[in-house]
């Protein structure tokens, strides 16, 4: 028959009351939650008209994220506390935040506080995340002060694709810089492989004292 061998897919994680009120569903996977949030953001015209990479939070989103303005790239990091069961078992940070919300009753801790608690390098429940060591220009571009190279690279690639900077036909490895990239990296062109090296220039190496 068409029935499966009693192996049903697990239900999506329940959402916090705050998030459920925003997206209109009680349960959602992370992927669906992001899609529903974007629908909400577009419906309420919350994207910054002068820079679409930023979202100006309305009252509901401010309560959920603990921020007045978030970048489109950093939004997903505020979702962990609102997904009330561990969806990504290998993602310990996410799980830690989720557990904190479940134990502390849904919505009792502001998301921003949780995000700070679980920031990379915060070292066992330290209150503040590791101090940002990158340049102000980079933080402005990414939309947040993060030392996470993966998040920064992801933001860069989203920008490269959105602005069609891989403009040389047949050679996707070459990135032709627009004015923003030229200002940020001081080069006219780079390759996909050298992007990490250019990002690193915004993180000055610590000077070791002899």
């Amino acid at each position: 028959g068409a029935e499966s061998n009693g192996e049903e897919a697990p239900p999506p994680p329940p959402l916090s009351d705050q998030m459920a009120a925003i997206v209109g569903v009680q349960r959602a996977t992370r992927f669906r939650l992001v899609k529903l949030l974007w629908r909400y953001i577009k419906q309420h015209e919350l994207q910054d008209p002068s820079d679409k990479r930023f979202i100006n939070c309305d009252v509901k989103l401010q309560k959920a994220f603990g921020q007045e303005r978030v970048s489109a790239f950093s939004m997903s990091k505020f979702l962990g506390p609102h997904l009330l069961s561990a969806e990504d078992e290998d993602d310990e940070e996410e799980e830690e935040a989720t557990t904190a919300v479940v134990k502390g009753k849904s919505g009792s801790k502001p998301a921003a506080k949780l995000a700070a608690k679980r920031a990379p390098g915060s070292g066992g429940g330290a209150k503040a995340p590791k101090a940002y060591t990158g340049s102000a220009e980079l933080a402005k571009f990414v939309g947040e002060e993060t030392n996470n190279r993966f998040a920064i690279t992801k933001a860069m690639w989203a920008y490269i694709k959105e602005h069609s900077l891989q403009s040389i036909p047949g050679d996707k490895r070459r990135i032709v810089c627009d004015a923003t990239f030229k200002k940020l990296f001081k080069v006219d062109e780079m390759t996909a492989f050298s992007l990490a090296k250019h990002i690193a220039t915004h993180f000055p190496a610590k000077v070791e004292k002899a």
Side-chain angles (χ1 to χ4, degrees):
E3 284 183 29
S4 62
N5 324 328
E7 296 249 344
E8 283 187 39
L15 301 178
S16 69
D17 295 342
Q18 263 181 347
M19 192 53 75
I22 294 169
V23 296
V25 297
Q26 298 297 320
R27 289 174 171 269
T29 59
R30 172 181 282 276
F31 180 70
R32 183 166 180 231
L33 178 56
V34 170
K35 282 178 80 169
L36 290 169
L37 273 171
W38 271 110
R39 193 168 74 182
Y40 178 87
I41 288 160
K42 287 181 189 299
Q43 260 176 356
H44 294 81
E45 297 178 355
L46 301 179
Q47 265 177 297
D48 189 328
S50 62
D51 190 341
K52 297 281 192 189
R53 291 174 302 163
F54 291 91
I55 294 144
N56 295 322
C57 300
D58 62 2
V59 177
K60 284 184 178 179
L61 285 182
Q62 277 186 36
K63 280 185 181 167
F65 294 157
Q67 307 277 330
E68 288 182 15
R69 190 170 190 253
V70 295
S71 85
F73 307 118
S74 68
M75 184 168 72
S76 64
K77 78 173 186 185
F78 296 107
L79 304 185
H82 297 286
L83 290 158
L84 299 185
S85 72
E87 192 186 357
D88 305 315
E89 312 238 303
D90 55 348
D91 190 342
E92 288 172 10
E93 291 175 13
E94 203 62 73
E95 220 170 323
E96 188 190 330
T98 305
T99 311
V101 175
V102 175
K103 283 185 181 165
K105 296 199 191 80
S106 144
S108 65
K109 289 188 181 185
K113 208 178 263 182
L114 272 166
K117 177 182 176 295
R118 55 188 258 274
S122 59
K127 285 191 176 63
K130 190 178 172 189
Y132 176 63
T133 56
S135 71
E137 295 86 6
L138 185 68
K140 192 176 175 192
F141 177 87
V142 178
E144 60 169 331
E145 292 190 347
T146 176
N147 293 324
N148 184 327
R149 299 293 171 94
F150 178 73
I152 294 166
T153 307
K154 204 169 152 189
M156 294 291 170
W157 274 107
Y159 183 88
I160 288 163
K161 290 186 186 305
E162 190 186 334
H163 294 82
S164 309
L165 301 187
Q166 290 164 296
S167 56
I168 296 163
D171 192 351
K172 292 285 188 195
R173 290 169 306 175
R174 285 169 72 187
I175 297 157
V176 179
C177 300
D178 64 355
T180 304
F181 258 40
K182 280 179 186 173
K183 197 175 167 190
L184 199 59
F185 297 123
K186 315 282 188 287
V187 292
D188 295 328
E189 202 179 288
M190 65 174 78
T191 68
F193 307 116
S194 68
L195 179 61
K197 188 180 78 181
H198 288 293
I199 291 171
T201 62
H202 287 272
F203 288 89
K206 284 179 185 162
V207 182
E208 296 292 335
K209 287 184 182 172

